[in-house]
Amino acid sequence: MTKSDLPFDRSAARSDMLGAEPQEGGTNFAIFSEHASAVELCLFDDSGAPTQSGMLPEMEGGIWFGFLPDVGPGQRYGYRVHGPYEPDRGHRFNPAKLLIDPYARRLDRELIWNDAVFGYDVATGDDLTFDDRDSAPFVPKGVVSDPVFDWNGDLAIRRRWSETVIYEAHLRGLTMQHPAVPEEQRGTFAALAHPAVLDHLNRIGVTAVELLPVQSFLRDQHLVDKGLTNYWGYNTINFFSPQASYLAGGHVEEIKRTVKALHKAGIEVILDVVYNHTAEGSEKGPTLSFRGIDNLTYYLTDPDHPRHCYDVTGTGNTLNVAHPAVLRMVLDSLRYWVEVMHIDGFRFDLASTLGREPTGFEREGAFFAAMKQDPVLSSVKLIAEPWDVGDGGYQVGGFPWPFREWNDKFRDDVRGFWRRDPEMTGRFSERLLGSPVQFGHSLRPATSSVNFIAAHDGFTLRDTVSYNHKHNEANGEDGRDGHDHNVSDNMGAEGATDDAVINDARNARVKAMLAALFLSRGVPMLLAGDEMGNTQDGNNNVYAQDNDTSWLDWDAADTDLIDWVARLTALRRSFPDLSSRTFEGISGAQGDRLDAVHWWHPEGRHMEDSDWPTTLCFGLILDGDDHNLLMLFNAGDATTITLPEGNWRLRLASRDLAPEARPLEMPPQSVAVFDNG
C-alpha cells in the first residue's frame, strides 16, 4: 500500500461498514472498487478548500478502508481513485477527478458545471482522451453525519395495503405557493410537516405521501444552459444523501422531524427512488462518482465494446445491480432510509431494469430475490413502475409479491370509458375489479394494482378534460417531448374557457373519474393537486419547469372538488368490500354472474355478453356479509335505470339526482352509489 499522509489507525479500521461511519474516537472510511490500484481520501474545510489527503491503508475483497482518529460529524471529504485509464477496456480511472462517496449521508451543495468534471477533454468530444484538470472546486463534498436522533417512540405505521390511499407529490411543488407555509420553508421537508399541509392531507383521506425523488440529483447541464432545471429529480447521483436544496436548515435531521410529524398524523412516507441509472449519463458524461470509482463494476457496459455503456433506461447508462457490490449498495441505501430515516416504503422508477438478467427480465432475478428475503425491506411498501425502454421492458403484472405495480391500463381505460371511446365498458369493468387478468395469478392479492388516473408524468386530471394536445413549448424541445398518447378530451375548447356548459361538463367528468378511482379494487393513488383542480396549462411533461406551471396553486383550489374527494375516501373506509384484498369469485370474464359480483343492466337485468360492446351505463353489485353495494356508472347521456329489488339507499352521487325515484333517472357522465344495509 502507498504511504498515507493522514494518520490512519490500521488497528481500528473496518471493512464491514461502507461509507464514512463515525465511531468512538474517529471515523471509519470504506469504499468498494474492484479494479482500482489505490484509493485516496481527501479532506476539506467548511469552505470546500482542501486540507489533507492520503491513501486508504487497507484493502480486502475490493473494499478499501481506513480509520481516521479525531475526525467526526461535519467533516467534508471525497475520494480520488487511482487505476488504469483504458476506455476501450471499460476502465475510466482518473485521480484528477474528485469523486463522491456512494455511501455519503449528506452532500454539502450541488454540482457546479465545469469542463473539469469530465474525465476526458470534453471540448474535443473524444472520450478516449484524458483530462488532468482538478474537479474538486466544482464537485459536492460528502459530509460525515451523525445518525443519532431522538425518535421519541416513533414507529413505522405499517398500514395495510387495503387501507392505503397514496398521494403522489413533488416535495417542492406541493408547498411553494402554500399561503400558510413560511416563505423560508416552502419547497422543503420542513414545509411538508407544516400543520396546514397535514390538515389538508387528513381532510382528503390520504394515508401515504409518495414523494418524487429526494435523493441527491443533478440539474442536467443542457437544461441549465437553457435556463431550465431538472425539476422532477430522476437523475440521482447519490442514493443515501437527500437533495441539499430540500433542507431548509441544511441538516438531515429535518427529514427525520418531518417523517416523525407525518407518522403522528397517521401518514406514511414513500420515496420514489431511481436505482436503474445514475446522473453520470453515457460514457461521454461527467466523472463524479461511480464512473471514476469503478466503471466496470457499477455500470453495465457493452460486452463486445466495454468503452460504451449499455443503456436500457434512455438516460445513457444502466446501473449494474447484478453485481454483488452494487446490489449491496442498493440494499444498504434502502435499509438506511427505513432504519435510520423511518421511511415506510419505496416506488422504484423503471423497475423492469432492476429485474434484467443476461436472458432478459426475470421476476425471480437477484434483485427481487434479495428484496423478498430481506427482513427489513420485505416488510415495507414496495411499488414498481413496471416498465423500461429496453426490449421486453413492459411488465405490468409481471412482478413478484410483495411488490405492487403502477397500473397504466387503469389510467388509459378509465379515461377512455369516460371519453366514450368505443367498446371500453368491458375493459373499464376489469379495472373496477382490480385488473384480475394482469394481477390475479401467482398468489398475488387484488391490492397488487396501484390505480391512478394521472401521475406526475402526463396531463393532470384537470388538463385531461381541458386539452386535446400537449402544450410543452416552454420545455425548449419544440414540442417533441412528453406523451402523445394522452387519452384526453378538451370537451369543446382547448384550455381554459368561460363557457359555463363546457366547464360544467368538465367538472362532471372529473368527479366521475375520481369516483371510479376510489370505488375500484386495488390501491388508489391521487396526483397532488388533482383534488383541487390543478392545471399545468396543458404541459404534460413539466420535468424542467420549477415555476408556477408545476407548483400547486392553493389560492385557486376548487373546494367543492376537495370535499368530493374527502367524501369518496370516507365511503371507501366505510365499506371494506371496495378494497378487498382477494380476487375470490372474480374470473375476469366480463359477463360472468358470480356469487359476490353482479353486473347490472339499466333495463333491470343482469348484463349479458352482447351488452358489453355497446352500453355506456351499467351497475356493479358487490354482495357483502350484511349489506350489498350498488355502484352505477353512466358515461353516456341521461339514462333511465331500473334498480334491483330491495331497499336501496343513496350514499353518494357525483351529480344531482332524485334518489327515491323509480326508475332512477341517471344524469349523464355521473356515478352513484347505493347500499341496502
Side-chain angles (χ1 to χ4, degrees):
M1 294 295 177
T2 306
K3 183 178 182 299
S4 173
D5 296 328
L6 289 170
F8 287 106
D9 181 352
R10 293 193 176 196
S11 66
R14 302 183 58 143
S15 63
D16 60 342
M17 49 175 65
L18 288 164
E21 291 283 353
Q23 306 289 304
E24 184 177 353
T27 296
N28 192 82
F29 292 89
I31 185 173
F32 180 87
S33 179
E34 187 173 3
H35 299 101
S37 59
V39 176
E40 182 180 0
L41 173 66
C42 304
L43 304 184
F44 300 82
D45 63 21
D46 291 349
S47 70
T51 55
Q52 291 178 282
S53 66
M55 302 297 178
L56 291 177
E58 303 289 340
M59 190 278 284
E60 56 184 48
I63 296 176
W64 303 78
F65 60 104
F67 183 87
L68 199 55
D70 302 322
V71 168
Q75 175 64 59
R76 286 164 167 76
Y77 72 101
Y79 289 107
R80 299 183 190 275
V81 180
H82 300 252
Y85 188 80
E86 300 172 351
D88 281 332
R89 296 179 56 204
H91 296 307
R92 295 183 178 273
F93 296 101
N94 186 337
K97 310 305 167 184
L98 188 77
L99 306 174
I100 299 168
D101 177 9
Y103 279 70
R105 271 41 170 189
R106 179 184 152 210
L107 301 184
D108 64 347
R109 57 175 172 79
E110 296 189 35
L111 174 75
I112 300 172
W113 282 104
N114 185 279
D115 286 355
V117 303
F118 292 83
Y120 65 98
D121 185 352
V122 71
T124 68
D126 182 2
D127 64 292
L128 296 178
T129 60
F130 183 85
D131 186 279
D132 60 3
R133 287 172 289 184
D134 183 10
S135 67
F138 314 105
V139 175
K141 311 322 185 268
V143 182
V144 179
S145 297
D146 187 349
V148 176
F149 179 76
D150 181 10
W151 284 101
N152 194 26
D154 176 80
L155 297 173
I157 297 173
R158 297 291 188 267
R159 192 181 305 281
R160 294 176 180 174
W161 278 109
S162 59
E163 300 170 351
T164 296
V165 175
I166 298 173
Y167 188 77
E168 192 206 23
H170 189 285
L171 180 70
R172 182 169 167 82
L174 178 63
T175 62
M176 281 301 293
Q177 297 189 105
H178 198 300
V181 176
E183 288 191 18
E184 67 273 12
Q185 292 184 359
R186 293 179 184 178
T188 69
F189 275 98
L192 179 60
H194 192 279
V197 177
L198 299 181
D199 287 347
H200 175 77
L201 297 177
N202 281 324
R203 177 185 176 188
I204 61 174
V206 166
T207 70
V209 172
E210 181 178 306
L211 298 175
L212 268 67
V214 299
Q215 294 168 325
S216 293
F217 60 85
L218 294 191
R219 304 186 188 278
D220 311 58
Q221 187 176 24
H222 74 277
L223 292 176
V224 173
D225 290 344
K226 292 193 295 185
L228 299 171
T229 187
N230 186 321
Y231 173 64
W232 282 346
Y234 290 95
N235 205 25
T236 311
I237 193 58
N238 186 271
F239 299 112
F240 288 81
S241 62
Q243 179 70 0
S245 60
Y246 290 168
L247 302 175
H251 297 287
V252 174
E253 289 76 12
E254 182 179 321
I255 303 176
K256 299 177 182 179
R257 290 193 294 270
T258 296
V259 172
K260 186 176 176 180
L262 265 74
H263 284 177
K264 188 176 180 180
I267 300 170
E268 294 182 298
V269 182
I270 298 171
L271 299 186
D272 195 336
V273 290
V274 189
Y275 291 104
N276 54 79
H277 75 281
T278 80
E280 288 183 303
S282 73
E283 63 272 6
K284 291 195 173 183
T287 297
L288 304 171
S289 182
F290 311 97
R291 173 163 291 127
I293 294 170
D294 196 338
N295 186 64
L296 273 181
T297 291
Y298 287 96
Y299 294 125
L300 288 177
T301 56
D302 186 324
D304 299 321
H305 306 283
R307 169 186 174 183
H308 304 293
C309 291
Y310 184 69
D311 178 21
V312 298
T313 66
T315 61
N317 68 54
T318 304
L319 205 62
N320 185 18
V321 293
H323 191 285
V326 181
L327 179 59
R328 176 186 171 181
M329 177 191 69
V330 171
L331 297 177
D332 283 349
S333 70
L334 291 169
R335 280 190 292 264
Y336 170 78
W337 286 98
V338 173
E339 295 182 311
V340 178
M341 310 299 281
H342 285 205
I343 294 301
D344 301 283
F346 305 94
R347 178 264 191 189
F348 294 86
D349 179 63
L350 300 182
S352 292
T353 300
L354 301 174
R356 287 195 174 273
E357 302 283 327
T359 56
F361 178 82
E362 177 53 65
R363 70 193 308 267
E364 302 300 332
F367 174 77
F368 299 127
M371 294 291 289
K372 288 170 69 174
Q373 62 79 41
D374 190 283
V376 173
L377 301 178
S378 61
S379 64
V380 303
K381 286 184 165 63
L382 304 173
I383 304 171
E385 182 185 33
W387 49 75
D388 64 19
V389 301
D391 290 340
Y394 186 77
Q395 291 290 333
V396 172
F399 281 72
W401 183 91
F403 278 82
R404 272 61 180 175
E405 302 176 36
W406 272 25
N407 186 358
D408 63 334
K409 294 181 182 296
F410 184 96
R411 175 198 63 201
D412 292 350
D413 291 349
V414 169
R415 291 185 182 188
F417 173 73
W418 291 105
R419 195 174 66 170
R420 306 184 186 188
D421 290 359
E423 299 189 9
M424 288 299 303
T425 305
R427 294 169 64 176
F428 176 67
S429 72
E430 292 185 23
R431 306 306 156 225
L432 294 174
L433 296 183
S435 301
V437 172
Q438 284 70 37
F439 300 104
H441 60 82
S442 307
L443 307 180
R444 300 186 74 184
T447 54
S448 296
S449 175
V450 175
N451 300 327
F452 64 100
I453 314 168
H456 69 275
D457 188 1
F459 278 147
T460 68
L461 181 55
R462 177 62 63 181
D463 287 355
T464 298
V465 300
S466 304
Y467 294 91
N468 283 347
H469 310 286
K470 63 187 179 184
H471 296 266
N472 297 0
E473 292 77 15
N475 295 347
E477 300 181 39
D478 297 323
R480 293 186 301 271
D481 64 300
H483 295 300
D484 291 315
H485 178 68
N486 294 297
V487 197
S488 63
D489 177 12
N490 69 20
M491 306 187 74
E494 188 74 356
T497 179
D498 293 328
D499 189 309
V501 174
I502 292 176
N503 285 330
D504 181 64
R506 288 176 176 177
N507 289 337
R509 186 172 292 182
V510 163
K511 283 189 172 183
M513 288 196 285
L514 286 169
L517 174 65
F518 290 103
L519 295 175
S520 297
R521 289 188 180 181
V523 180
M525 185 185 81
L526 182 69
L527 173 64
D530 279 354
E531 79 280 12
M532 61 177 74
N534 186 60
T535 177
Q536 293 173 171
D537 300 322
N539 190 322
N540 74 349
N541 189 32
V542 296
Y543 79 104
Q545 300 297 319
D546 187 5
N547 50 47
D548 291 355
T549 301
S550 57
W551 300 342
L552 301 195
D553 186 353
W554 290 87
D555 288 336
D558 183 338
T559 56
D560 178 63
L561 196 58
I562 292 173
D563 289 340
W564 175 243
V565 171
R567 292 175 62 197
L568 287 168
T569 57
L571 182 74
R572 187 176 179 87
R573 291 192 301 271
S574 299
F575 293 97
D577 293 336
L578 294 173
S579 53
S580 173
R581 290 176 291 173
T582 73
F583 287 113
E584 183 178 356
I586 298 174
S587 70
Q590 296 160 0
D592 282 1
R593 291 185 53 187
L594 306 167
D595 290 341
V597 175
H598 310 275
W599 302 106
W600 194 251
H601 193 279
E603 294 178 356
R605 58 178 174 80
H606 289 285
M607 292 277 285
E608 299 176 357
D609 287 347
S610 59
D611 295 324
W612 291 99
T614 58
T615 186
L616 289 172
C617 180
F618 70 98
L620 168 58
I621 304 171
L622 296 180
D623 293 345
D625 293 334
D626 54 5
H627 68 275
N628 296 333
L629 276 182
L630 170 63
M631 295 176 279
L632 302 175
F633 303 91
N634 182 22
D637 297 329
T639 302
T640 299
I641 300 178
T642 299
L643 300 186
E645 292 184 5
N647 183 25
W648 294 101
R649 177 181 58 174
L650 180 68
R651 298 304 302 262
L652 179 146
S654 64
R655 304 188 82 166
D656 290 339
L657 52 75
E660 304 301 327
R662 297 294 183 270
L664 183 74
E665 293 296 327
M666 191 74 175
Q669 295 272 290
S670 68
V671 175
V673 180
F674 293 79
D675 84 316
N676 63 0

